[in-house]
Amino acid sequence: NIPFENSGMGRDLSVVDAKFVNGVKIVLMNSHLESMKQFAKERMEQLKAAFNMVSDEDENSTVVFAGDLNIRDSEVDKVGIPDRVADLWTLLGEPKEYQFTWDLTINTNMKPFDNRPPRFRFDRVYFRPSAKNNIKPKYFRFCGTKKIPGWKCFPSDHFGILCNFEFDKDTL
């Protein structure tokens, strides 16, 4: 784990280097960036640091960076997504049914703050292909969208993201 020096919430970036049995390398990065609107400056600095690490990874590795980033679209626009890095939701066609990972119009774990329940895409997955481009994203879906039987609540106030990737046999 790599701690974010500017975090007042103990946030960090977890990094795992892995290799499939066929030799294809992948780097998995996960973070929970600073929460709440008033910490936008810190969150954007954390996102920039994470993006720098994604960009600096070995070109022979596919990189997947994901998590509860608490990020707003306007903040991503200010930071900028690095070259060769893609927002997986955007890359896979921006499916409207998977746009809002924190959606108080559906998820009842939290009470809306006002008359208009908020909806945000706080949770994101970023993808940087290897130089060989040997792993391809296939689909992007939510999980945790149903209430837990007997509990009358969702597993979290955020919906989880389930991504499926496949090897590109032509590049192996």
Side-chain angles (χ1 to χ4, degrees):
N1 288 356
I2 302 161
F4 290 120
E5 293 179 14
N6 71 344
S7 180
M9 300 178 186
R11 304 301 166 87
D12 61 15
L13 180 68
S14 298
V15 181
V16 174
D17 288 296
K19 190 183 329 182
F20 293 96
V21 291
N22 63 5
V24 173
K25 297 191 291 186
I26 188 166
V27 177
L28 304 171
M29 296 182 175
N30 178 264
S31 190
H32 182 188
L33 302 183
E34 224 73 3
S35 301
M36 300 181 285
K37 191 174 187 174
Q38 66 265 34
F39 296 104
K41 179 181 179 286
E42 292 82 358
R43 185 171 42 255
M44 288 188 290
E45 289 170 357
Q46 293 166 0
L47 181 66
K48 185 169 180 53
F51 277 161
N52 286 341
M53 289 202 59
V54 169
S55 295
D56 290 346
E57 280 296 331
D58 176 13
E59 287 295 314
N60 294 313
S61 294
T62 297
V63 183
V64 178
F65 166 52
D68 175 358
L69 305 184
N70 287 305
I71 203 82
R72 281 82 170 156
D73 290 336
S74 62
E75 295 168 2
V76 174
D77 291 343
K78 287 177 187 171
V79 171
I81 299 173
D83 290 342
R84 296 194 56 240
V85 176
D87 180 326
L88 211 58
W89 178 75
T90 302
L91 185 66
L92 294 173
E94 299 184 357
K96 292 294 181 197
E97 66 270 30
Y98 304 121
Q99 182 173 4
F100 301 113
T101 62
W102 195 71
D103 188 347
L104 299 191
T105 66
I106 298 169
N107 193 316
T108 56
N109 281 11
M110 292 185 68
K111 300 263 187 251
F113 309 122
D114 54 30
N115 293 338
R116 211 171 117 207
R119 308 170 88 194
F120 289 100
R121 192 164 67 92
F122 285 151
D123 309 83
R124 300 189 184 214
V125 179
Y126 291 98
F127 174 77
R128 195 212 69 191
S130 69
K132 288 184 177 181
N133 203 19
N134 47 18
I135 296 177
K136 304 276 189 191
K138 192 172 177 184
Y139 65 77
F140 179 105
R141 296 197 178 119
F142 283 167
C143 56
T145 58
K146 293 189 167 89
K147 291 184 178 182
I148 301 168
W151 286 80
K152 298 181 183 175
C153 66
F154 292 86
S156 171
D157 61 318
H158 294 245
F159 296 132
I161 299 172
L162 174 66
C163 300
N164 186 286
F165 298 86
E166 62 186 3
F167 291 113
D168 182 345
K169 294 174 186 77
D170 296 334
T171 61
L172 293 178

